[in-house]
Amino acid sequence: MGQIDDIAKTRRTVKLLPDQSLAGPGLSRETVEALLETAGFAPFHRACAPARCGDGAVEPWRVHALDKAGCVALIPRLGDLPKTPGKIVNMLAAADALLLVTWLPEEGREWSASDLNMEHIAATGAMIQTLLLAATEQGIGNYWSSGGVLAREAFDVLGIGTEEVLLGAIFLWPDAPDGVEAKPGKLRGQRSAPAHWTRWIEVPVS
Ligand SMILES: Cc1cc2nc3c(=O)[nH]c(=O)nc-3n(C[C@H](O)[C@H](O)[C@H](O)COP(=O)(O)O)c2cc1C
């Protein structure tokens, strides 16, 4: 088995939902930045639209990072939102870090109609998966969440511009302490072999 094969198969969704904050130092910023350094090598086909990337970075993604202290400090701020934050609060209480990964659409909110935007989303997804693999290699538990209230309602609190769209709220975890259940992803057990979703094309030889 090659190393990437092992890491890809070891990566798995883990969700920690404790009732109270977990003690511990969390991940250092240096550790998180090393993961992002790796993730930043994901492929991307198009530079983000100049009008959209005012900070000058050409990548179609942006990352908004919270360390453990930031995750805990965010919890009471979410209480003011009109929509209930639900399990996000429990996860913030557990997380060693949270990375909010957004992408920058070309055209307002009508982004689904554009090929360019499809490629921006694909590239950002590749970046997130690379991040998850890098975390897995380091033994850091992880979870790609759609984000719940973090996906929109909390943008103001988080200082994220409305021109960005959240693709993933990436929770990075400590080891689950005794008594805290580590929940798996719902579809984990339904994964099928490539033969179920792959077709060899037989091109007639002319
Ligand atoms: C784009 C994306 C969004 C996801 N959002 C959620 C989510 O909001 N809640 C959740 O429980 N799992 C979410 N997941 C994780 C999936 O449930 C998980 O990947 C799936 O069950 C397969 O499990 P595995 O990651 O362990 O292979 C998301 C995964 C992706 C790729």
Side-chain angles (χ1 to χ4, degrees), residues 8-15 87-88 91 125 128-129 132 142-148 167-169 183-191:
K9 291 176 180 170
T10 302
R11 182 217 59 81
R12 61 201 316 279
T13 294
V14 174
K15 291 180 263 184
K87 292 175 183 167
I88 293 289
M91 295 197 280
I128 293 175
Q129 169 69 350
L132 300 185
N142 54 77
Y143 166 43
W144 180 345
S145 164
S146 305
L167 187 62
K183 289 187 79 171
K186 286 198 188 86
L187 296 176
R188 178 78 191 179
Q190 294 182 43
R191 189 163 258 115

Side-chain angles (χ1 to χ4, degrees), residues 39 109 162 200:
R109 308 304 299 175
T162 51
W200 283 104

Side-chain angles (χ1 to χ4, degrees), residues 66 74 78 81 85 88 91-92 98 100 102 145-155 158 160 166 169-171:
L66 289 156
L74 181 59
L78 297 181
L81 298 179
I88 293 289
M91 295 197 280
L92 286 170
L98 170 65
L100 297 162
T102 65
S145 164
S146 305
V149 289
L150 301 177
R152 193 92 223 112
E153 288 80 3
F155 267 27
L158 294 160
I160 301 175
L166 191 82
I170 312 304
F171 288 87

Side-chain angles (χ1 to χ4, degrees), residues 13 18 20 29 31 50 55-56 61 68 74 79 107 110 124 145 152 166 176 179 183-184 192-193:
T13 294
Q20 293 180 338
R29 291 190 177 196
T31 299
D55 53 15
W61 57 73
K68 182 171 176 63
L74 181 59
E107 301 150 19
E110 297 302 319
T124 304
S145 164
R152 193 92 223 112
L166 191 82
K183 289 187 79 171
S192 57

Side-chain angles (χ1 to χ4, degrees), residues 75-161:
I75 294 171
R77 305 291 308 278
L78 297 181
D80 299 335
L81 298 179
K83 222 170 145 185
T84 164
K87 292 175 183 167
I88 293 289
V89 164
N90 302 78
M91 295 197 280
L92 286 170
D96 269 357
L98 170 65
L99 302 172
L100 297 162
V101 183
T102 65
W103 65 282
L104 291 153
E106 299 280 318
E107 301 150 19
R109 308 304 299 175
E110 297 302 319
W111 46 265
S112 56
S114 153
D115 288 357
L116 279 179
N117 282 329
M118 184 182 75
E119 295 202 337
H120 290 336
I121 297 169
T124 304
M127 180 273 204
I128 293 175
Q129 169 69 350
T130 309
L131 177 64
L132 300 185
L133 295 176
T136 301
E137 187 188 33
Q138 298 297 319
I140 298 168
N142 54 77
Y143 166 43
W144 180 345
S145 164
S146 305
V149 289
L150 301 177
R152 193 92 223 112
E153 288 80 3
F155 267 27
D156 201 25
V157 172
L158 294 160
I160 301 175

